[in-house]
Amino acid sequence: MLVNKAYKFRIYPNKEQEVLIAKTIGSCRFVFNYFLAKWNDTYKETGKGLTYNTCSSQLTQLKKELT
C-alpha cells in the first residue's frame, strides 16, 4: 500500500526576501516565455522544436547579452 503525504508550509519573508523572490520568479517567467517563443518560431519554420542542449547553450549567451 502506497501512502502519499503532503506538507504545507507558510513562509513569512521580510521585505528584502520578498524582493529577491519576486526577481527570481520574474526571471524564470522571462526565460520560460523567451524560449517558448523561440521554440514556437523554430517549430513553425522547420517542423521541429528546439532541444534542451540548444536552449541551454542559448541561455548562456542570453545571460551574457542581458548582464
Side-chain angles (χ1 to χ4, degrees), residues 7-65:
Y7 296 96
K8 283 188 175 182
F9 294 96
R10 175 83 172 127
I11 61 171
Y12 299 96
N14 60 33
K15 286 293 180 189
E16 183 180 324
Q17 291 169 330
E18 285 179 6
V19 169
L20 185 60
I21 290 168
K23 284 182 179 181
T24 302
I25 292 171
S27 297
C28 292
R29 185 181 307 120
F30 172 79
V31 169
F32 177 82
N33 288 333
Y34 178 83
F35 283 107
L36 179 61
K38 283 189 85 68
W39 193 94
N40 285 335
D41 292 341
T42 304
Y43 186 79
K44 286 177 186 174
E45 291 174 9
T46 65
K48 294 183 181 180
L50 298 172
T51 64
Y52 172 81
N53 290 334
T54 304
C55 292
S56 179
S57 64
Q58 289 180 8
L59 178 61
T60 305
Q61 185 63 32
L62 181 65
K63 286 166 95 175
K64 290 178 183 176
E65 291 174 9

